[in-house]
């Protein structure tokens, strides 16, 4: 029986590249996201590329009422269930300062939404005793930076959750992969100048698939971010608080 | 929302470059607003400045590369403009369908293939890319407009129309049914110019192309290898991982002695009595795609490609051009001779019945002089220059070579009255009246 992947936040650029690679090896795809017109177009494309199934399902990380339908669709598809989480949002820190209500959305998109979804999926995953959960966090979650610390805090929360989930699901035979990308060349980063070590979405998708196959626990992509973040994490807080990086 | 990024955009020949603001939309809904502002580009496989807009904006369409619909009964596939043709081969050949016309690189996008009305090794049988499309969706001044071959003038102005009749957003290809997933290729030596033409003229094969040794002179002038191919059922080894050229090569890499030695070896690798072999589809159609960024072999200064077509009766003029190229010793190993079938009447489409010669020349001052002379000889012979390759021509010469230019201009001015889709090539050749 083939693999079925739930892709949360399927219209994101990285998710799109990832889904294409899954499609070309014939996996089934449940495409979960908010923009149904975009998901419909994606589903047609992925079916033509070889997906054994590509089904768009309406999903909003901020609306737990939308979660059950996604799981139902995946179970109807059959096969080994896998989940890949690509949701997240990153408003400017200044926009958050001007409208504190934005904090709730950022936390829901990157942390509480996917956490709640995965909690729902847990019994299925544990019962099947195999499969993979891919959670996409960010290098921004490794340290609270001046420019995006609300986003960073949400990603840090998600990373900690994934660490615990790995501890639990690992015992049942389900692997959990935490992905921490640096800047990726997507619509989200196009307007920003001067981002270092920019990765291409296809390369990130390749890295994720390789890490899934190898059973990697935490993947930095590009790989250069692993040593960089080791250094940044090691900077004492009394020094870090005066830095602008 | 789509942001803009500052980028140095070059043509494939890397001899021309421009500083542009580039957007890369990923959904069709992101398109209409943008299209008011800027020309669209694909994978940047035009050699000169056709996809450049120095100091202006460009819309990179490679993020719009979805399959929108496929009809397995008749092999019609509708795709977004950023779809690379090589991807269509990879996805549909195993299902029995192949794009009817394929250029020499699978990286070329459908949008680019429309804007250049590209041709392939089967032009004499199949015509050019536009002859196998059933519709195109243009975005003109923010509004989508679907055109078909029955649309008349706007269709003829769009195929080969350099992207000036509106942003090319989508197109539907009528693919051809194929039973095979491999090519049966016959290679034969042609000892000189006369034999080369004779082999091209007498071939009955679906795909025919001649590789020409541009370093051979005298009695060996025009020698080369004629390649004839048909689709065939058969298994081929799985594709290898593409290799890359990691840095700009030093100038000596393609110096005349190196090229002469390479060409001699390339020629004699085919036995005197010829040979037949089975090749994978992509190796046959896109021989250079195996080496990513091969254009870097020409070093930092880049290169030019000269490509002309002359009427059948002017074969001697083409021979004179080849003689001139050979005597200067400037040519690279990449040179191709082919017999083309009749043109299709699209206003700026390149193909016309005759012989086409394409030669890569490293970018040096003497190359520009040589190309200028070759352009003059082409004009004299009643031939024309391929705009997908050009970086150096003079506008008046091009307009004389494309007598339907005025008809094209009429459609373009209606479609884009403010000249927002103009590129460096359009300005250099003065193809439009711009504000």
């Amino acid at each position: 029986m083939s693999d079925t992947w739930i892709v949360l936040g399927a219209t994101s650029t990285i998710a799109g590249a990832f889904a294409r690679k899954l499609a070309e090896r014939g996996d089934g795809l449940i495409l979960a996201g908010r923009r149904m017109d975009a998901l419909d177009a994606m589903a047609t494309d992925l079916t033509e590329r070889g997906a054994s199934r590509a089904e768009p399902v309406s999903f909003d990380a901020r609306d737990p009422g939308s979660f059950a339908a996604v799981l139902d669709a995946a179970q109807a598809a059959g096969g080994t269930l896998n989940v890949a989480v690509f949701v997240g949002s990153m408003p400017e820190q200044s926009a958050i300062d001007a409208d504190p209500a934005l904090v709730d959305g950022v936390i829901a998109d990157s942390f509480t939404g996917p956490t709640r979804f995965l909690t729902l999926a847990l019994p299925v995953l544990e019962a099947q005793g195999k499969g993979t959960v891919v959670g996409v966090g960010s290098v921004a979650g490794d340290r609270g930076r001046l420019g995006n610390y609300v986003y960073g805090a949400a990603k840090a929360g998600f990373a900690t959750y994934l660490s615990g989930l790995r501890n639990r699901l690992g015992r049942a035979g389900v692997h959990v992969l935490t992905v921490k990308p640096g800047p990726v060349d997507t619509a989200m980063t196009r307007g920003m100048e001067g981002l270092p070590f920019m990765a291409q979405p296809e390369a990130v998708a390749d890295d994720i698939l390789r890490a899934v196959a190898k059973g990697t626990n935490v993947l930095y992509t590009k790989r250069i971010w692993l040593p960089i973040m080791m250094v940044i994490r090691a900077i004492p807080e009394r020094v870090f608080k005066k830095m602008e990086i | 929302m789509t942001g803009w990024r500052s980028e140095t955009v070059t043509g494939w020949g890397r001899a021309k470059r421009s500083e542009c603001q580039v957007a890369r939309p990923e959904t069709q809904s992101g398109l209409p607003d943008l299209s008011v502002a800027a020309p669209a580009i694909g994978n940047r496989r035009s050699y000169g400045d056709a996809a450049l807009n120095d100091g202006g904006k460009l819309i990179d369409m490679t993020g719009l590369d979805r399959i929108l619909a496929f009809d397995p009964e008749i092999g019609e596939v509708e795709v977004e403009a950023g779809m690379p043709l090589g991807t269509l081969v990879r996805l549909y050949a195993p299902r029995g369908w192949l794009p009817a016309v394929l250029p020499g690189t699978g990286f070329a996008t459908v949008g680019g293939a429309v804007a250049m009305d590209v041709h392939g090794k089967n032009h004499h049988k199949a015509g050019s890319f536009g002859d196998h499309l059933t519709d195109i969706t243009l975005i003109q001044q923010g509004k989508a407009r679907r055109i078909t071959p029955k649309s008349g003038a706007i269709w003829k102005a769009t195929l080969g129309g350099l992207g000036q009749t509106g942003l090319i957003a989508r197109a539907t290809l009528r693919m051809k049914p194929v039973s095979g997933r491999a090519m049966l290729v016959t290679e034969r030596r042609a000892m000189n110019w006369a034999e080369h033409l004779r082999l091209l003229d007498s071939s009955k094969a679906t795909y025919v192309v001649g590789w020409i040794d541009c370093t051979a002179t005298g009695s060996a002038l025009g020698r080369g290898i004629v390649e004839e191919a048909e689709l065939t059922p058969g298994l081929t080894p799985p594709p290898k991982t593409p290799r890359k050229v990691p840095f700009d090569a030093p100038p000596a890499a393609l110096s005349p002695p190196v090229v002469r030695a390479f060409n001699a070896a390339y020629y004699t690798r085919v036995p005197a009595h010829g040979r037949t072999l089975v090749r994978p589809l992509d190796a046959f159609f896109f021989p250079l795609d195996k080496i990513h960024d091969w254009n870097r072999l020409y070093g930092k200064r880049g290169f030019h490609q000269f490509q002309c077509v002359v009427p059948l009766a002017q074969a001697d003029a083409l021979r004179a051009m080849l003689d001139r190229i050979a005597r200067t010793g400037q040519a690279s190993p990449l040179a191709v001779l082919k017999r083309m079938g009749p043109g299709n009447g699209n206003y700026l489409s390149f193909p016309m019945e005759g012989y086409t010669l394409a030669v890569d020349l490293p970018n040096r001052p003497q190359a520009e002089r040589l190309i200028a002379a070759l352009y003059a000889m082409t004009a004299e012979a009643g031939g024309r220059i391929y705009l997908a390759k050009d970086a150096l021509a003079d506008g008046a010469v091009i307009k004389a070579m494309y007598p339907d230019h005025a008809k094209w201009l009429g459609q373009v001015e209606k479609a884009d009255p403010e000249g927002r889709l103009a590129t460096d090539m359009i300005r250099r050749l003065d193809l439009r009246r711009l504000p």
Side-chain angles (χ1 to χ4, degrees):
Chain A
M1 193 70 198
S2 71
D3 279 278
T4 297
W5 284 83
I6 293 174
V7 183
L8 296 187
T11 55
S12 91
T13 312
I14 307 172
F18 182 70
R20 278 193 177 173
K21 292 182 193 291
L22 295 175
E24 291 202 20
R25 59 183 211 193
D27 290 359
L29 294 162
I30 307 299
L31 306 168
R34 280 177 304 171
R35 301 197 316 249
M36 280 310 279
D37 57 336
L39 290 176
D40 284 337
M42 216 178 151
T44 306
D45 179 67
L46 292 168
T47 305
E48 287 302 312
R49 284 172 196 265
S52 57
R53 166 195 289 253
E55 197 179 328
V57 185
S58 176
F59 166 85
D60 183 347
R62 304 181 189 188
D63 174 17
S66 70
F67 294 0
V70 178
L71 265 181
D72 289 348
Q75 289 195 278
T80 303
L81 177 68
N82 303 269
V83 185
V85 179
F86 291 92
V87 286
S89 60
M90 188 172 71
E92 296 275 340
Q93 191 65 44
S94 56
I96 295 176
D97 295 342
D99 180 6
L102 289 178
V103 170
D104 297 352
V106 173
I107 304 281
D109 289 341
S110 284
F111 180 29
T112 52
T115 299
R116 202 159 156 178
F117 181 86
L118 287 169
T119 306
L120 266 180
L122 242 165
V124 184
L125 291 165
E126 266 185 330
Q128 76 181 14
K130 55 183 174 175
T132 301
V133 174
V134 175
V136 176
S138 168
V139 294
D142 279 12
R143 198 86 201 238
R145 286 176 54 238
L146 194 59
N148 61 0
Y149 54 88
V150 173
Y151 173 75
K155 290 294 190 187
F158 188 47
T160 303
Y161 168 78
L162 288 172
S163 171
L165 189 70
R166 173 158 46 245
N167 206 317
R168 171 160 175 193
L169 283 178
R171 292 158 208 270
V174 179
H175 182 61
V176 176
L177 164 66
T178 306
V179 183
K180 296 186 179 182
V184 183
D185 187 7
T186 66
M188 184 168 97
T189 56
R190 177 125 298 235
M192 308 175 189
E193 302 278 344
L195 293 173
F197 304 116
M198 183 82 91
Q200 289 305 310
E202 292 73 26
V204 171
D206 279 332
D207 281 354
I208 295 175
L209 276 178
R210 224 174 290 125
V212 167
K214 282 204 318 208
T216 307
N217 295 313
V218 179
L219 168 72
Y220 283 86
T221 169
K222 297 182 167 181
R223 251 151 262 236
I224 181 79
W225 289 103
L226 172 63
I228 292 175
M229 294 318 294
M230 279 173 73
V231 170
I232 290 178
R233 276 201 313 271
I235 299 171
E237 196 65 18
R238 69 189 144 78
V239 178
F240 190 77
K241 73 179 183 184
K242 295 182 187 138
M243 295 171 68
E244 288 185 44
I245 54 171
Chain B
M1 206 197 81
T2 302
W4 300 86
R5 181 183 300 159
S6 311
E7 247 185 83
T8 304
V9 181
T10 65
W12 184 244
R14 298 173 79 218
K16 291 265 179 163
R17 46 190 67 222
S18 64
E19 299 301 326
C20 306
Q21 293 287 315
V22 184
R24 190 173 177 273
E26 289 170 5
T27 55
Q28 288 277 342
S29 57
L31 270 182
D33 299 348
L34 289 167
S35 70
V36 183
I41 61 170
N43 269 328
R44 309 172 195 192
R45 254 50 185 190
S46 287
Y47 286 64
D49 51 2
L52 271 47
N53 191 17
D54 197 31
K57 291 182 168 173
L58 288 172
I59 300 174
D60 179 333
M61 299 292 285
T62 56
L64 290 161
D65 60 347
R66 292 176 196 82
I67 297 160
L68 300 170
F70 175 64
D71 182 339
E73 298 295 311
I74 51 175
E76 272 188 16
V77 65
E78 185 180 20
V79 296
E80 291 176 330
M83 168 65 76
L85 288 167
T87 303
L88 288 179
V89 174
R90 183 164 53 83
L91 294 176
Y92 287 105
R95 295 164 71 179
W97 297 97
L98 191 71
V101 168
L102 290 165
T105 170
F107 291 110
T109 61
V110 167
V114 169
M116 291 299 175
D117 198 15
V118 299
H119 59 271
K121 297 171 181 175
N122 58 349
H123 184 269
H124 58 295
K125 299 244 176 179
S128 50
F129 188 77
D131 299 329
H132 305 273
L133 297 180
T134 58
D135 64 70
I136 298 170
T137 301
L138 296 171
I139 295 175
Q140 295 178 326
Q141 301 170 69
K143 285 197 215 64
R145 176 180 175 192
R146 190 171 162 277
I147 61 170
T148 72
K150 292 193 180 126
S151 306
I154 183 66
W155 183 264
K156 291 184 166 158
T158 298
L159 271 312
L162 306 172
Q164 301 300 300
T165 60
L167 183 142
I168 299 158
R170 300 191 284 271
T172 305
L173 287 74
R174 171 76 62 97
M175 294 190 284
K176 67 170 183 178
V178 291
S179 57
R181 288 175 62 180
M183 302 299 291
L184 190 66
V185 185
T186 301
E187 295 177 330
R188 251 180 275 195
R189 283 192 195 173
M191 281 163 49
N192 54 36
W193 175 258
E195 189 179 12
H196 209 140
L197 284 196
R198 198 162 56 243
L199 286 174
L200 292 176
D201 290 343
S202 61
S203 175
K204 302 269 187 293
T206 309
Y207 297 91
V208 187
V209 69
W211 168 80
I212 204 160
D213 177 358
C214 282
T215 62
T217 52
S219 60
L221 181 75
R223 77 166 179 179
I225 291 163
V226 172
E227 207 178 77
E228 301 176 277
E230 302 292 344
L231 282 143
T232 181
L235 291 172
T236 57
K240 296 195 188 101
T241 315
R243 280 182 284 184
K244 282 191 179 175
V245 178
F247 51 83
D248 296 338
L254 287 166
S255 63
V258 174
V259 174
R260 267 198 302 275
F262 177 90
N263 281 6
Y266 194 82
Y267 179 74
T268 47
R269 131 203 98 94
V270 173
H273 51 84
R275 66 173 180 183
T276 298
L277 47 154
V278 176
R279 290 234 181 98
L281 288 184
D282 53 348
F284 175 76
F285 287 110
F286 316 128
L288 289 167
D289 288 0
K290 279 180 290 188
I291 307 164
H292 279 182
D293 305 325
W294 60 261
N295 52 350
R296 300 184 75 173
L297 290 171
Y298 288 90
K300 259 191 284 206
R301 283 176 303 186
F303 67 107
H304 292 290
Q305 185 174 97
F306 165 75
Q307 185 171 3
C308 72
V309 57
V310 299
L312 292 174
Q314 292 289 334
D316 285 346
L318 201 60
R319 185 183 191 281
M321 288 187 229
L322 182 63
D323 186 48
R324 182 141 188 171
I325 295 165
R327 278 189 289 114
T328 63
Q330 292 183 38
S332 84
L334 291 172
V336 163
L337 182 65
K338 159 149 194 72
R339 182 170 169 157
M340 293 189 129
N344 57 14
N346 296 329
Y347 301 146
L348 295 190
S349 281
F350 167 68
M352 59 186 256
E353 183 148 41
Y355 300 102
T356 179
L357 174 69
V359 185
D360 285 5
L361 301 160
N363 180 24
R364 302 180 190 123
Q366 63 267 37
E368 296 201 8
R369 287 196 296 276
L370 173 61
I371 289 171
L374 296 170
Y375 280 7
M377 292 166 89
T378 304
E380 177 77 14
R384 58 170 71 132
I385 297 302
Y386 193 4
L387 293 175
K389 312 292 177 73
D390 173 59
L392 297 168
D394 175 76
V397 173
I398 294 296
K399 284 176 214 168
M401 290 172 170
Y402 289 92
D404 287 332
H405 168 256
K407 292 183 191 163
W408 172 81
L409 186 58
Q411 291 300 311
V412 168
E413 290 189 335
K414 267 194 272 176
D416 176 37
E418 290 174 54
R420 291 175 183 251
L421 300 177
T423 58
D424 286 359
M425 169 171 271
I426 297 294
R427 285 183 287 271
R428 173 173 59 85
L429 296 174
D430 190 29
L431 293 178
R432 297 183 57 178
R433 290 176 290 222
L434 294 168

